Structure formats: C-alpha cells, structure tokens
Amino acid sequence: AAVALAIALVVSTPPAPGPAYVVVLAGADARAALVATAARGDNVLTIKPLAPLAVPTDRELELWALPAGANPRSLGRIPSAGVGRLRLASALAAPALAVSLEPRGGSPTGLPTGPVLYSGKVERIE
C-alpha cells in the first residue's frame, strides 16, 4: 500500500512550470568563481561564490543580465562571500550574466561602470 501511495504521489504531482536555470560565472582565466541558480518556477536567483572574492572595501559586486541586442540590466548587488539571493521580476530571459566591480551602492549610471570581472552563459534545464 505504501509503495502504491508513493507511486501515485509521484505520478500525480505535476512538474513546476518553466525551466530551471544555472549559470557558472568565470573570470578572464576561465576559472569558475560564482554559481547562480534559479529553481523551476521560482523567481529568486541564488548566487554563491565558490571561494571568497577579494573586493576592495569601497566597492561592491553587481550582477547584470546581458540581453541580446540591448543594454545590460542590473539584477542587483551580490555578496563577495556567502550566499546571495536576488528577486527576479520575471523568468531569466537573458542569454548571459556578468558581474562588474562597482562603487558602494551600485552603479550610479544604471550601466556597468567598473570592470567586468566574471561572466557566464545562462543554461536552461528543462
């Protein structure tokens, strides 16, 4: 009976809508530095540095969506250590993400002003 119930629950539970996303952000040396993920049907992007990142005290890291044929769009500031979470307005539609080094408080112009330290392709997991 327990096995039948478990099978019924698995079969009757519909998958969450939409794809899940994963992005491995690497530096110019192609070494992975951060991983960003969004669960299927979730509008929260979780960002985790693979090791603490050296960021000057007067600077912050800012995450950017890189839409095809359009200006970068800020997704928010992210921590240099620990796990960061950013609420997304909609599904992650950009083909790539990038991280720039910005003044405290983020980019004053709405576009990256500091060097782009890391970037990566958005991978959809169906």
Side-chain angles (χ1 to χ4, degrees):
V3 171
L5 178 60
I7 290 171
L9 287 174
V10 169
V11 171
S12 68
T13 304
Y21 300 95
V22 65
V23 185
V24 177
L25 295 132
D29 61 1
R31 296 180 80 186
L34 302 109
V35 174
T37 59
R40 190 176 311 278
D42 196 356
N43 65 340
V44 174
L45 186 67
T46 301
I47 303 100
K48 182 175 186 333
L50 299 176
L53 306 172
V55 177
T57 57
D58 63 335
R59 301 283 183 202
E60 287 185 286
L61 299 175
E62 191 161 351
L63 184 68
W64 302 87
L66 304 176
N71 286 334
R73 185 174 49 89
S74 177
L75 297 177
R77 297 183 312 269
I78 60 173
S80 58
V83 176
R85 289 181 178 77
L86 298 173
R87 184 157 301 281
L88 301 174
S90 60
L92 193 56
L97 299 180
V99 175
S100 65
L101 186 62
E102 299 295 337
R104 277 258 167 238
S107 169
T109 67
L111 294 172
T113 61
V116 173
L117 303 178
Y118 312 106
S119 62
K121 183 179 175 201
V122 174
E123 299 290 342
R124 293 169 50 123
I125 301 170
E126 298 295 334

PDB file of all heavy atoms in Angstrom, residues 77-114:
ATOM      1  N   ARG A  77      22.995  43.994  -6.407  1.00  0.00           N
ATOM      2  CA  ARG A  77      24.334  43.812  -5.842  1.00  0.00           C
ATOM      3  C   ARG A  77      24.397  42.450  -5.171  1.00  0.00           C
ATOM      4  O   ARG A  77      23.408  41.982  -4.607  1.00  0.00           O
ATOM      5  CB  ARG A  77      24.628  44.948  -4.875  1.00  0.00           C
ATOM      6  CG  ARG A  77      24.653  46.294  -5.620  1.00  0.00           C
ATOM      7  CD  ARG A  77      25.006  47.467  -4.742  1.00  0.00           C
ATOM      8  NE  ARG A  77      24.281  47.541  -3.489  1.00  0.00           N
ATOM      9  CZ  ARG A  77      23.134  48.189  -3.315  1.00  0.00           C
ATOM     10  NH1 ARG A  77      22.557  48.785  -4.316  1.00  0.00           N
ATOM     11  NH2 ARG A  77      22.564  48.222  -2.133  1.00  0.00           N
ATOM     12  N   ILE A  78      25.573  41.834  -5.227  1.00  0.00           N
ATOM     13  CA  ILE A  78      25.733  40.490  -4.676  1.00  0.00           C
ATOM     14  C   ILE A  78      26.896  40.467  -3.688  1.00  0.00           C
ATOM     15  O   ILE A  78      27.829  41.261  -3.811  1.00  0.00           O
ATOM     16  CB  ILE A  78      25.926  39.438  -5.788  1.00  0.00           C
ATOM     17  CG1 ILE A  78      27.171  39.748  -6.632  1.00  0.00           C
ATOM     18  CG2 ILE A  78      24.687  39.367  -6.669  1.00  0.00           C
ATOM     19  CD1 ILE A  78      27.517  38.683  -7.642  1.00  0.00           C
ATOM     20  N   PRO A  79      26.861  39.555  -2.719  1.00  0.00           N
ATOM     21  CA  PRO A  79      27.948  39.484  -1.735  1.00  0.00           C
ATOM     22  C   PRO A  79      29.198  38.846  -2.327  1.00  0.00           C
ATOM     23  O   PRO A  79      29.127  38.062  -3.273  1.00  0.00           O
ATOM     24  CB  PRO A  79      27.362  38.605  -0.629  1.00  0.00           C
ATOM     25  CG  PRO A  79      26.358  37.753  -1.333  1.00  0.00           C
ATOM     26  CD  PRO A  79      25.796  38.601  -2.439  1.00  0.00           C
ATOM     27  N   SER A  80      30.348  39.189  -1.765  1.00  0.00           N
ATOM     28  CA  SER A  80      31.615  38.598  -2.212  1.00  0.00           C
ATOM     29  C   SER A  80      31.891  37.278  -1.487  1.00  0.00           C
ATOM     30  O   SER A  80      32.802  36.550  -1.848  1.00  0.00           O
ATOM     31  CB  SER A  80      32.767  39.577  -1.986  1.00  0.00           C
ATOM     32  OG  SER A  80      32.849  39.929  -0.629  1.00  0.00           O
ATOM     33  N   ALA A  81      31.105  36.963  -0.470  1.00  0.00           N
ATOM     34  CA  ALA A  81      31.209  35.693   0.258  1.00  0.00           C
ATOM     35  C   ALA A  81      29.809  35.322   0.737  1.00  0.00           C
ATOM     36  O   ALA A  81      28.945  36.184   0.874  1.00  0.00           O
ATOM     37  CB  ALA A  81      32.162  35.829   1.439  1.00  0.00           C
ATOM     38  N   GLY A  82      29.584  34.057   0.959  1.00  0.00           N
ATOM     39  CA  GLY A  82      28.266  33.619   1.401  1.00  0.00           C
ATOM     40  C   GLY A  82      27.297  33.540   0.231  1.00  0.00           C
ATOM     41  O   GLY A  82      27.679  33.687  -0.923  1.00  0.00           O
ATOM     42  N   VAL A  83      26.049  33.315   0.539  1.00  0.00           N
ATOM     43  CA  VAL A  83      25.023  33.138  -0.479  1.00  0.00           C
ATOM     44  C   VAL A  83      24.193  34.407  -0.601  1.00  0.00           C
ATOM     45  O   VAL A  83      23.762  34.967   0.403  1.00  0.00           O
ATOM     46  CB  VAL A  83      24.110  31.937  -0.122  1.00  0.00           C
ATOM     47  CG1 VAL A  83      22.974  31.806  -1.112  1.00  0.00           C
ATOM     48  CG2 VAL A  83      24.927  30.661  -0.057  1.00  0.00           C
ATOM     49  N   GLY A  84      23.988  34.848  -1.826  1.00  0.00           N
ATOM     50  CA  GLY A  84      23.130  35.998  -2.095  1.00  0.00           C
ATOM     51  C   GLY A  84      21.874  35.552  -2.807  1.00  0.00           C
ATOM     52  O   GLY A  84      21.889  34.560  -3.540  1.00  0.00           O
ATOM     53  N   ARG A  85      20.791  36.267  -2.582  1.00  0.00           N
ATOM     54  CA  ARG A  85      19.528  35.960  -3.265  1.00  0.00           C
ATOM     55  C   ARG A  85      18.966  37.244  -3.836  1.00  0.00           C
ATOM     56  O   ARG A  85      18.859  38.242  -3.122  1.00  0.00           O
ATOM     57  CB  ARG A  85      18.540  35.314  -2.303  1.00  0.00           C
ATOM     58  CG  ARG A  85      18.953  33.904  -1.923  1.00  0.00           C
ATOM     59  CD  ARG A  85      17.963  33.238  -0.980  1.00  0.00           C
ATOM     60  NE  ARG A  85      18.374  31.882  -0.671  1.00  0.00           N
ATOM     61  CZ  ARG A  85      19.336  31.561   0.184  1.00  0.00           C
ATOM     62  NH1 ARG A  85      19.995  32.497   0.814  1.00  0.00           N
ATOM     63  NH2 ARG A  85      19.645  30.296   0.401  1.00  0.00           N
ATOM     64  N   LEU A  86      18.596  37.180  -5.114  1.00  0.00           N
ATOM     65  CA  LEU A  86      18.016  38.331  -5.795  1.00  0.00           C
ATOM     66  C   LEU A  86      16.650  37.939  -6.339  1.00  0.00           C
ATOM     67  O   LEU A  86      16.513  36.898  -6.981  1.00  0.00           O
ATOM     68  CB  LEU A  86      18.906  38.784  -6.956  1.00  0.00           C
ATOM     69  CG  LEU A  86      20.309  39.250  -6.597  1.00  0.00           C
ATOM     70  CD1 LEU A  86      21.118  39.502  -7.864  1.00  0.00           C
ATOM     71  CD2 LEU A  86      20.245  40.505  -5.742  1.00  0.00           C
ATOM     72  N   ARG A  87      15.659  38.768  -6.080  1.00  0.00           N
ATOM     73  CA  ARG A  87      14.318  38.510  -6.610  1.00  0.00           C
ATOM     74  C   ARG A  87      14.290  38.986  -8.058  1.00  0.00           C
ATOM     75  O   ARG A  87      14.691  40.094  -8.365  1.00  0.00           O
ATOM     76  CB  ARG A  87      13.272  39.253  -5.794  1.00  0.00           C
ATOM     77  CG  ARG A  87      11.866  38.928  -6.244  1.00  0.00           C
ATOM     78  CD  ARG A  87      10.832  39.166  -5.179  1.00  0.00           C
ATOM     79  NE  ARG A  87      10.999  38.416  -3.956  1.00  0.00           N
ATOM     80  CZ  ARG A  87      10.652  37.135  -3.797  1.00  0.00           C
ATOM     81  NH1 ARG A  87      10.159  36.464  -4.790  1.00  0.00           N
ATOM     82  NH2 ARG A  87      10.808  36.538  -2.638  1.00  0.00           N
ATOM     83  N   LEU A  88      13.811  38.112  -8.942  1.00  0.00           N
ATOM     84  CA  LEU A  88      13.700  38.435 -10.359  1.00  0.00           C
ATOM     85  C   LEU A  88      12.281  38.899 -10.661  1.00  0.00           C
ATOM     86  O   LEU A  88      11.319  38.343 -10.145  1.00  0.00           O
ATOM     87  CB  LEU A  88      14.021  37.209 -11.216  1.00  0.00           C
ATOM     88  CG  LEU A  88      15.410  36.604 -11.039  1.00  0.00           C
ATOM     89  CD1 LEU A  88      15.523  35.306 -11.836  1.00  0.00           C
ATOM     90  CD2 LEU A  88      16.472  37.591 -11.478  1.00  0.00           C
ATOM     91  N   ALA A  89      12.159  39.929 -11.518  1.00  0.00           N
ATOM     92  CA  ALA A  89      10.840  40.426 -11.892  1.00  0.00           C
ATOM     93  C   ALA A  89      10.105  39.414 -12.767  1.00  0.00           C
ATOM     94  O   ALA A  89       8.883  39.332 -12.755  1.00  0.00           O
ATOM     95  CB  ALA A  89      10.972  41.762 -12.620  1.00  0.00           C
ATOM     96  N   SER A  90      10.859  38.638 -13.549  1.00  0.00           N
ATOM     97  CA  SER A  90      10.272  37.635 -14.432  1.00  0.00           C
ATOM     98  C   SER A  90      11.298  36.527 -14.642  1.00  0.00           C
ATOM     99  O   SER A  90      12.389  36.574 -14.087  1.00  0.00           O
ATOM    100  CB  SER A  90       9.879  38.269 -15.766  1.00  0.00           C
ATOM    101  OG  SER A  90      11.019  38.821 -16.383  1.00  0.00           O
ATOM    102  N   ALA A  91      10.964  35.571 -15.470  1.00  0.00           N
ATOM    103  CA  ALA A  91      11.893  34.480 -15.764  1.00  0.00           C
ATOM    104  C   ALA A  91      13.187  35.049 -16.333  1.00  0.00           C
ATOM    105  O   ALA A  91      13.201  36.092 -16.977  1.00  0.00           O
ATOM    106  CB  ALA A  91      11.264  33.511 -16.742  1.00  0.00           C
ATOM    107  N   LEU A  92      14.254  34.371 -16.104  1.00  0.00           N
ATOM    108  CA  LEU A  92      15.574  34.789 -16.574  1.00  0.00           C
ATOM    109  C   LEU A  92      15.647  34.574 -18.080  1.00  0.00           C
ATOM    110  O   LEU A  92      15.819  33.460 -18.550  1.00  0.00           O
ATOM    111  CB  LEU A  92      16.645  33.978 -15.844  1.00  0.00           C
ATOM    112  CG  LEU A  92      18.074  34.448 -15.941  1.00  0.00           C
ATOM    113  CD1 LEU A  92      18.219  35.887 -15.481  1.00  0.00           C
ATOM    114  CD2 LEU A  92      18.956  33.561 -15.101  1.00  0.00           C
ATOM    115  N   ALA A  93      15.467  35.659 -18.848  1.00  0.00           N
ATOM    116  CA  ALA A  93      15.386  35.550 -20.304  1.00  0.00           C
ATOM    117  C   ALA A  93      16.703  35.890 -20.992  1.00  0.00           C
ATOM    118  O   ALA A  93      16.860  35.602 -22.171  1.00  0.00           O
ATOM    119  CB  ALA A  93      14.281  36.461 -20.819  1.00  0.00           C
ATOM    120  N   ALA A  94      17.638  36.508 -20.307  1.00  0.00           N
ATOM    121  CA  ALA A  94      18.906  36.906 -20.934  1.00  0.00           C
ATOM    122  C   ALA A  94      19.756  35.676 -21.227  1.00  0.00           C
ATOM    123  O   ALA A  94      19.750  34.718 -20.457  1.00  0.00           O
ATOM    124  CB  ALA A  94      19.666  37.861 -20.015  1.00  0.00           C
ATOM    125  N   PRO A  95      20.511  35.700 -22.316  1.00  0.00           N
ATOM    126  CA  PRO A  95      21.367  34.553 -22.638  1.00  0.00           C
ATOM    127  C   PRO A  95      22.641  34.481 -21.797  1.00  0.00           C
ATOM    128  O   PRO A  95      23.322  33.459 -21.786  1.00  0.00           O
ATOM    129  CB  PRO A  95      21.701  34.754 -24.109  1.00  0.00           C
ATOM    130  CG  PRO A  95      21.525  36.209 -24.353  1.00  0.00           C
ATOM    131  CD  PRO A  95      20.479  36.682 -23.391  1.00  0.00           C
ATOM    132  N   ALA A  96      22.973  35.567 -21.081  1.00  0.00           N
ATOM    133  CA  ALA A  96      24.209  35.578 -20.288  1.00  0.00           C
ATOM    134  C   ALA A  96      24.065  36.537 -19.114  1.00  0.00           C
ATOM    135  O   ALA A  96      23.223  37.434 -19.116  1.00  0.00           O
ATOM    136  CB  ALA A  96      25.393  35.976 -21.157  1.00  0.00           C
ATOM    137  N   LEU A  97      24.936  36.327 -18.108  1.00  0.00           N
ATOM    138  CA  LEU A  97      25.042  37.221 -16.954  1.00  0.00           C
ATOM    139  C   LEU A  97      26.484  37.662 -16.826  1.00  0.00           C
ATOM    140  O   LEU A  97      27.395  36.975 -17.295  1.00  0.00           O
ATOM    141  CB  LEU A  97      24.624  36.504 -15.667  1.00  0.00           C
ATOM    142  CG  LEU A  97      23.210  35.967 -15.562  1.00  0.00           C
ATOM    143  CD1 LEU A  97      23.002  35.298 -14.200  1.00  0.00           C
ATOM    144  CD2 LEU A  97      22.189  37.066 -15.765  1.00  0.00           C
ATOM    145  N   ALA A  98      26.689  38.790 -16.164  1.00  0.00           N
ATOM    146  CA  ALA A  98      28.035  39.286 -15.895  1.00  0.00           C
ATOM    147  C   ALA A  98      28.054  39.948 -14.529  1.00  0.00           C
ATOM    148  O   ALA A  98      27.023  40.387 -14.017  1.00  0.00           O
ATOM    149  CB  ALA A  98      28.467  40.275 -16.967  1.00  0.00           C
ATOM    150  N   VAL A  99      29.249  40.022 -13.944  1.00  0.00           N
ATOM    151  CA  VAL A  99      29.448  40.679 -12.654  1.00  0.00           C
ATOM    152  C   VAL A  99      30.498  41.763 -12.847  1.00  0.00           C
ATOM    153  O   VAL A  99      31.584  41.506 -13.360  1.00  0.00           O
ATOM    154  CB  VAL A  99      29.930  39.673 -11.581  1.00  0.00           C
ATOM    155  CG1 VAL A  99      30.258  40.388 -10.275  1.00  0.00           C
ATOM    156  CG2 VAL A  99      28.884  38.599 -11.352  1.00  0.00           C
ATOM    157  N   SER A 100      30.146  42.982 -12.435  1.00  0.00           N
ATOM    158  CA  SER A 100      31.101  44.091 -12.513  1.00  0.00           C
ATOM    159  C   SER A 100      31.451  44.573 -11.114  1.00  0.00           C
ATOM    160  O   SER A 100      30.727  44.330 -10.152  1.00  0.00           O
ATOM    161  CB  SER A 100      30.536  45.252 -13.343  1.00  0.00           C
ATOM    162  OG  SER A 100      29.410  45.815 -12.688  1.00  0.00           O
ATOM    163  N   LEU A 101      32.569  45.270 -11.023  1.00  0.00           N
ATOM    164  CA  LEU A 101      33.031  45.879  -9.776  1.00  0.00           C
ATOM    165  C   LEU A 101      32.557  47.321  -9.784  1.00  0.00           C
ATOM    166  O   LEU A 101      32.934  48.100 -10.664  1.00  0.00           O
ATOM    167  CB  LEU A 101      34.552  45.793  -9.692  1.00  0.00           C
ATOM    168  CG  LEU A 101      35.190  46.252  -8.394  1.00  0.00           C
ATOM    169  CD1 LEU A 101      34.726  45.378  -7.227  1.00  0.00           C
ATOM    170  CD2 LEU A 101      36.701  46.210  -8.514  1.00  0.00           C
ATOM    171  N   GLU A 102      31.705  47.678  -8.839  1.00  0.00           N
ATOM    172  CA  GLU A 102      31.064  48.997  -8.818  1.00  0.00           C
ATOM    173  C   GLU A 102      31.330  49.721  -7.501  1.00  0.00           C
ATOM    174  O   GLU A 102      31.711  49.091  -6.516  1.00  0.00           O
ATOM    175  CB  GLU A 102      29.551  48.839  -9.018  1.00  0.00           C
ATOM    176  CG  GLU A 102      29.148  48.203 -10.329  1.00  0.00           C
ATOM    177  CD  GLU A 102      29.505  49.033 -11.553  1.00  0.00           C
ATOM    178  OE1 GLU A 102      29.661  50.261 -11.426  1.00  0.00           O
ATOM    179  OE2 GLU A 102      29.628  48.443 -12.639  1.00  0.00           O
ATOM    180  N   PRO A 103      31.101  51.045  -7.479  1.00  0.00           N
ATOM    181  CA  PRO A 103      31.210  51.779  -6.213  1.00  0.00           C
ATOM    182  C   PRO A 103      30.161  51.287  -5.220  1.00  0.00           C
ATOM    183  O   PRO A 103      29.150  50.696  -5.604  1.00  0.00           O
ATOM    184  CB  PRO A 103      30.910  53.233  -6.605  1.00  0.00           C
ATOM    185  CG  PRO A 103      30.952  53.283  -8.081  1.00  0.00           C
ATOM    186  CD  PRO A 103      30.743  51.901  -8.599  1.00  0.00           C
ATOM    187  N   ARG A 104      30.386  51.528  -3.933  1.00  0.00           N
ATOM    188  CA  ARG A 104      29.397  51.184  -2.902  1.00  0.00           C
ATOM    189  C   ARG A 104      28.051  51.766  -3.307  1.00  0.00           C
ATOM    190  O   ARG A 104      27.975  52.886  -3.765  1.00  0.00           O
ATOM    191  CB  ARG A 104      29.786  51.770  -1.551  1.00  0.00           C
ATOM    192  CG  ARG A 104      30.765  50.925  -0.839  1.00  0.00           C
ATOM    193  CD  ARG A 104      30.043  50.125   0.250  1.00  0.00           C
ATOM    194  NE  ARG A 104      30.976  49.110   0.700  1.00  0.00           N
ATOM    195  CZ  ARG A 104      30.723  47.824   0.654  1.00  0.00           C
ATOM    196  NH1 ARG A 104      29.589  47.376   0.228  1.00  0.00           N
ATOM    197  NH2 ARG A 104      31.610  46.956   1.058  1.00  0.00           N
ATOM    198  N   GLY A 105      27.008  50.974  -3.177  1.00  0.00           N
ATOM    199  CA  GLY A 105      25.673  51.418  -3.568  1.00  0.00           C
ATOM    200  C   GLY A 105      25.310  51.010  -4.983  1.00  0.00           C
ATOM    201  O   GLY A 105      24.185  51.182  -5.404  1.00  0.00           O
ATOM    202  N   GLY A 106      26.252  50.480  -5.729  1.00  0.00           N
ATOM    203  CA  GLY A 106      25.976  50.025  -7.085  1.00  0.00           C
ATOM    204  C   GLY A 106      26.290  51.072  -8.127  1.00  0.00           C
ATOM    205  O   GLY A 106      26.692  52.198  -7.824  1.00  0.00           O
ATOM    206  N   SER A 107      26.099  50.701  -9.363  1.00  0.00           N
ATOM    207  CA  SER A 107      26.403  51.590 -10.489  1.00  0.00           C
ATOM    208  C   SER A 107      25.588  52.880 -10.389  1.00  0.00           C
ATOM    209  O   SER A 107      24.367  52.828 -10.248  1.00  0.00           O
ATOM    210  CB  SER A 107      26.078  50.899 -11.811  1.00  0.00           C
ATOM    211  OG  SER A 107      26.141  51.827 -12.868  1.00  0.00           O
ATOM    212  N   PRO A 108      26.237  54.036 -10.496  1.00  0.00           N
ATOM    213  CA  PRO A 108      25.496  55.297 -10.437  1.00  0.00           C
ATOM    214  C   PRO A 108      24.799  55.643 -11.753  1.00  0.00           C
ATOM    215  O   PRO A 108      23.970  56.548 -11.796  1.00  0.00           O
ATOM    216  CB  PRO A 108      26.583  56.326 -10.109  1.00  0.00           C
ATOM    217  CG  PRO A 108      27.835  55.734 -10.655  1.00  0.00           C
ATOM    218  CD  PRO A 108      27.684  54.247 -10.528  1.00  0.00           C
ATOM    219  N   THR A 109      25.099  54.914 -12.825  1.00  0.00           N
ATOM    220  CA  THR A 109      24.554  55.255 -14.140  1.00  0.00           C
ATOM    221  C   THR A 109      23.474  54.304 -14.633  1.00  0.00           C
ATOM    222  O   THR A 109      22.820  54.579 -15.636  1.00  0.00           O
ATOM    223  CB  THR A 109      25.679  55.261 -15.199  1.00  0.00           C
ATOM    224  OG1 THR A 109      26.153  53.921 -15.360  1.00  0.00           O
ATOM    225  CG2 THR A 109      26.815  56.184 -14.814  1.00  0.00           C
ATOM    226  N   GLY A 110      23.292  53.160 -13.961  1.00  0.00           N
ATOM    227  CA  GLY A 110      22.360  52.156 -14.445  1.00  0.00           C
ATOM    228  C   GLY A 110      22.984  51.206 -15.456  1.00  0.00           C
ATOM    229  O   GLY A 110      22.333  50.292 -15.943  1.00  0.00           O
ATOM    230  N   LEU A 111      24.253  51.426 -15.768  1.00  0.00           N
ATOM    231  CA  LEU A 111      25.032  50.549 -16.643  1.00  0.00           C
ATOM    232  C   LEU A 111      26.344  50.233 -15.934  1.00  0.00           C
ATOM    233  O   LEU A 111      26.767  50.985 -15.056  1.00  0.00           O
ATOM    234  CB  LEU A 111      25.318  51.231 -17.985  1.00  0.00           C
ATOM    235  CG  LEU A 111      24.104  51.500 -18.870  1.00  0.00           C
ATOM    236  CD1 LEU A 111      24.502  52.344 -20.069  1.00  0.00           C
ATOM    237  CD2 LEU A 111      23.465  50.196 -19.323  1.00  0.00           C
ATOM    238  N   PRO A 112      27.010  49.141 -16.295  1.00  0.00           N
ATOM    239  CA  PRO A 112      28.288  48.839 -15.641  1.00  0.00           C
ATOM    240  C   PRO A 112      29.284  49.992 -15.830  1.00  0.00           C
ATOM    241  O   PRO A 112      29.449  50.503 -16.930  1.00  0.00           O
ATOM    242  CB  PRO A 112      28.771  47.581 -16.367  1.00  0.00           C
ATOM    243  CG  PRO A 112      27.550  46.987 -16.980  1.00  0.00           C
ATOM    244  CD  PRO A 112      26.642  48.137 -17.285  1.00  0.00           C
ATOM    245  N   THR A 113      29.902  50.413 -14.729  1.00  0.00           N
ATOM    246  CA  THR A 113      30.914  51.479 -14.807  1.00  0.00           C
ATOM    247  C   THR A 113      32.305  50.944 -14.488  1.00  0.00           C
ATOM    248  O   THR A 113      33.291  51.534 -14.884  1.00  0.00           O
ATOM    249  CB  THR A 113      30.595  52.631 -13.827  1.00  0.00           C
ATOM    250  OG1 THR A 113      30.582  52.127 -12.497  1.00  0.00           O
ATOM    251  CG2 THR A 113      29.263  53.279 -14.161  1.00  0.00           C
ATOM    252  N   GLY A 114      32.366  49.845 -13.757  1.00  0.00           N
ATOM    253  CA  GLY A 114      33.653  49.254 -13.396  1.00  0.00           C
ATOM    254  C   GLY A 114      33.976  48.101 -14.318  1.00  0.00           C
ATOM    255  O   GLY A 114      33.203  47.761 -15.225  1.00  0.00           O
TER     256      GLY A 114
END
